Amino acid sequence: MEIELIVFLVMLGVFLLGNFLFKLPVSLSMAAGAVAGALVAGEGIPLRHLFEGTFVYMDTILIISTAMVFMTVIQESGALEALNAVIVSKFYKVPAVLLVLLMFIIMFPGMITGSSTAAVLSAGAIVAPILLQMGIPAPQTGAILAIGAIMGMAAPPVNIPAMLIGGGVDMPYIGFEGPLAFLTIPGAIFTVLFIGLRYCKNLDYEKIKGGLDLEIGKKYGIKLYIPIVVIVVLMVACRMLPNLIPNLGMPLIFMIGSAVGLFTGKRFNAVKAIREAMKTTVPVLGKLMGVGMFIQIMTLTGVRGYIVINCFGFGLVVLYAAICIVMPAFGAVSSYGAASVLGVPFLLALLDTGDQVVIAAALSFICSLGDLMPPTALAGNYAAQIVGEKYSKVLRYCVIPFIVCVLFGLFTLLKSRSLGFLT
């Protein structure tokens, strides 16, 4: 047995033991696995590499942190509640359109933070009572929240698994918006209509509006949405007019939007609200640091190269089967870990089969679906808590959308060359 395989099995074994047996956080379990791998490989405890690995994804960490600040500001200012109320009051006569728009609200926090947890806990908590009042049973509502949060996590502009996969092969996070939108928007629309439309044929608006905050929109008007408009305009302008507007970077854009949002809606204690929001984000940031450390030691010990070389030896049928089965299953541990540990070698093995950006986007999409996998199942467990159900009941209604999304991801991989125009 090659030493690289032994090192990898030790790293994976220590990680799994730490996470499942000793109930350590994913970040600490990954750090322990990295140290164990270095020791077995005869590298001792390489502090320099461990330190460097911790900061490999610093750009991503800054994006998530500032995006969470922005998300907190627009939530506390009342913008999300007002948007929710406007959509329901305008479209309750067309249930299909209403459901799709509510799904986009669920996705929105995930789109700008890259976290399914943030989507469920913020927009999901606001939309869930409306879905329940529309007549959708609690388990099905939980399934809509879970899948919607994952679609938001995978959607542009911020997709962390895609960033991790791209970072592993020195591919800049550029041109992903089209492929990711192509993957996530149909998945979100299919899910919410497949699960929820049958319950919403005849909506009683008088019953629904009791759960809406109709006053905040009347009080503050259009200025509630100025922060959202600001970040969209800045994102587009930096790309479309590079000669006139310098590339501000996502963290600065989110901070500008947050500063504007402090003055456009309800007054609130910004320091306290942001502190509470960051408490939910710290575990995600810790995971990224642990993943960086894990990958750095895999590179140092030759494990990463070993995995890449062996992936080239797989036939395409076996490779695609592994992508559809193993990558989501690894999400039971961490979808970010699946992107780094498996996404990079799979991308390298498929480079000659089509457009590399489309391939990376499809792999990140399939990785993100791992957030449904028990026992971790971050999106699923939080969604189940919000609707007051056991996750096992919610998971039952996620199965068909999950299979459809995985197959759509596989279709995108197979047709990546012809879909290159999306980039």
Side-chain angles (χ1 to χ4, degrees), residues 330-355:
F330 201 98
V333 177
S334 168
S335 56
Y336 299 151
S340 292
V341 176
L342 302 175
V344 174
F346 284 151
L347 173 60
L348 291 172
L350 293 172
L351 280 180
D352 293 335
T353 65
D355 186 283

Side-chain angles (χ1 to χ4, degrees), residues 207-218:
K207 180 181 178 181
I208 298 174
K209 76 175 185 179
L212 301 175
D213 187 346
L214 299 172
E215 298 303 317
I216 191 166
K218 296 177 182 177

Side-chain angles (χ1 to χ4, degrees), residues 177-380:
E177 291 86 350
L180 291 175
F182 173 79
L183 285 158
T184 55
I185 292 176
I189 292 174
F190 167 78
T191 298
V192 73
L193 295 182
F194 175 77
I195 296 176
L197 186 58
R198 72 190 72 177
Y199 302 103
C200 304
K201 295 296 175 64
N202 298 300
L203 295 181
D204 184 354
Y205 178 65
E206 294 301 320
K207 180 181 178 181
I208 298 174
K209 76 175 185 179
L212 301 175
D213 187 346
L214 299 172
E215 298 303 317
I216 191 166
K218 296 177 182 177
K219 183 175 181 180
Y220 295 102
I222 196 70
K223 72 175 186 177
L224 272 173
Y225 311 112
I226 292 177
I228 300 173
V229 174
V230 166
I231 66 163
V232 171
V233 168
L234 288 176
M235 286 178 186
V236 173
C238 288
R239 292 175 182 253
M240 302 295 292
L241 304 170
N243 295 326
L244 295 177
I245 300 176
N247 188 355
L248 300 176
M250 295 287 286
L252 180 56
I253 290 173
F254 282 130
M255 290 309 294
I256 293 172
S258 301
V260 172
L262 294 175
F263 306 99
T264 57
K266 291 190 297 186
R267 296 290 179 262
F268 61 95
N269 187 328
V271 174
K272 181 180 177 181
I274 292 170
R275 186 187 296 123
E276 291 299 318
M278 289 305 296
K279 285 182 181 179
T280 65
T281 309
V282 166
V284 176
L285 305 184
K287 282 183 185 179
L288 288 175
M289 292 181 175
V291 166
M293 204 180 297
F294 200 85
I295 298 303
Q296 183 82 2
I297 298 302
M298 285 178 64
T299 305
L300 173 68
T301 57
V303 169
R304 192 171 180 179
Y306 174 82
I307 294 175
V308 171
I309 291 171
N310 279 276
C311 280
F312 282 121
F314 290 157
L316 280 179
V317 174
V318 176
L319 191 62
Y320 285 127
I323 289 170
C324 293
I325 297 171
V326 179
M327 287 185 78
F330 201 98
V333 177
S334 168
S335 56
Y336 299 151
S340 292
V341 176
L342 302 175
V344 174
F346 284 151
L347 173 60
L348 291 172
L350 293 172
L351 280 180
D352 293 335
T353 65
D355 186 283
Q356 62 181 4
V357 175
V358 177
I359 293 171
L363 291 174
S364 71
F365 176 72
I366 294 172
C367 277
S368 299
L369 292 166
D371 268 8
L372 285 174
M373 290 292 148
T376 308
L378 291 176

Side-chain angles (χ1 to χ4, degrees), residues 12-26 28-30 329-334 370 373-377 381:
L12 199 57
V14 170
F15 166 63
L16 294 173
L17 284 173
N19 190 228
F20 292 114
L21 184 61
F22 297 105
K23 305 299 181 183
L24 294 175
V26 170
L28 293 181
S29 299
M30 282 197 157
F330 201 98
V333 177
S334 168
M373 290 292 148
T376 308
N381 278 310

